[in-house]
Structure formats: C-alpha cells, structure tokens
Amino acid sequence: SISIFPFSFVFIGYFALFSGILKFLKYFIIGFFGLFAYPLFFFGYALSYMLFKDKKFVMPKKFIVYFVITIFSLLCIFHLAFSHGVTTESFGLYLSELYNSQLSIGGLLIGLITYPLIISIQHFGAYVLFIALLVFSVYKIIDYFLVNKNSKN
C-alpha cells in the first residue's frame, strides 16, 4: 500500500536519530533538518501509522496551509533566535556552519531561507517578517474555528 513507503522512510529516520548504529544518517538528518527533525519524524510516524490503519481525517486545504505557515513561521523565528552566532560572511559558510553545528533549530533547510533575509533585511527585519506571517496565520486559524463554531449553532 502507499503507506509502506512513508512508514519505512520515517522508521529508518527515527532509528537513525535514536540509535547509535546509523551515525552518518543521523548526522545528515540533523544537519539538514536541524533539531526540528525529531518532531518532524514523530509527526511523519503518526501520519504514516494513520495511513497504514486506513484512518481518514478531513481538513480543509486552507486550514492545512495556515497550519503549515504557522509551524514554518515558528521554526524560522526559533532558527533566527538560536543562530545569531553563525557567521554570515558568505552563503556557503553560513550553511556549512549550520550543517556542521548539529545544534541548529532548522538546519540547512531553513538556513536556505533565512540567510537571504538576514543579508537583505537584517535579523530584525527577518524577525518582523516571520512574526507578521505568524500573526496572520494564527488569525486565519482562529477565524476558521470561529466561523465553523458559528455555522454549527
């Protein structure tokens, strides 16, 4: 079934993260996704388990998009907060230091997004941008629940 591939991928990733056997894979996963890999693989495990058990959940696409934007905004804010010590001399050095530190929140993946913002609008501007995105997405999620609550009454 289609749920076997995500389950296998997540199982191997989780195994690498929590065991000392696949150290090269753990180094890659933490370098690429950062410390966010732990909740990401947990969520992937839960989702693939639900697919495997043929569980259905129905959420409107707008809600899912706003939820993903909320998580992304929070991830970028925390990434910016905990990566102030990383060099911004060049794009390559920035990404290399994030990958090799093994302690960044968003890893190389979020570094690809935050570095151009840090260079163009500085740390403060990047914070303002991601906080505005967070406020907007949380507002839309709350609005979605209020509209659905009012439509049921």
Side-chain angles (χ1 to χ4, degrees), residues 23-143:
K23 289 185 181 191
F24 70 95
L25 188 56
K26 179 180 181 177
Y27 191 84
F28 170 76
I29 290 171
I30 298 294
F32 190 75
F33 293 111
L35 296 176
F36 183 66
Y38 291 99
L40 180 68
F41 276 92
F42 176 77
F43 177 74
Y45 181 76
L47 188 64
S48 63
Y49 178 78
M50 289 173 22
L51 289 172
F52 190 71
K53 292 290 188 177
D54 289 330
K55 302 285 184 193
K56 303 284 186 220
F57 51 93
V58 179
M59 290 300 238
K61 289 179 185 174
K62 283 185 177 182
F63 177 80
I64 293 171
V65 167
Y66 292 132
F67 183 75
V68 168
I69 291 172
T70 301
I71 298 299
F72 172 74
S73 303
L74 283 170
L75 184 60
C76 288
I77 290 167
F78 280 111
H79 179 83
L80 285 169
F82 289 102
S83 65
H84 271 284
V86 178
T87 183
T88 55
E89 290 177 27
S90 74
F91 194 43
L93 283 174
Y94 180 77
L95 295 178
S96 174
E97 202 169 315
L98 285 175
Y99 183 84
N100 291 327
S101 76
Q102 297 287 299
L103 289 174
S104 71
I105 302 297
L108 183 93
L109 188 63
I110 298 300
L112 289 169
I113 297 161
T114 57
Y115 180 80
L117 293 172
I118 291 169
I119 294 304
S120 59
I121 58 177
Q122 303 298 317
H123 277 90
F124 180 76
Y127 278 121
V128 169
L129 177 71
F130 289 123
I131 289 171
L133 194 60
L134 176 66
V135 168
F136 171 75
S137 60
V138 168
Y139 168 78
K140 295 303 266 182
I141 289 172
I142 292 170
D143 186 50

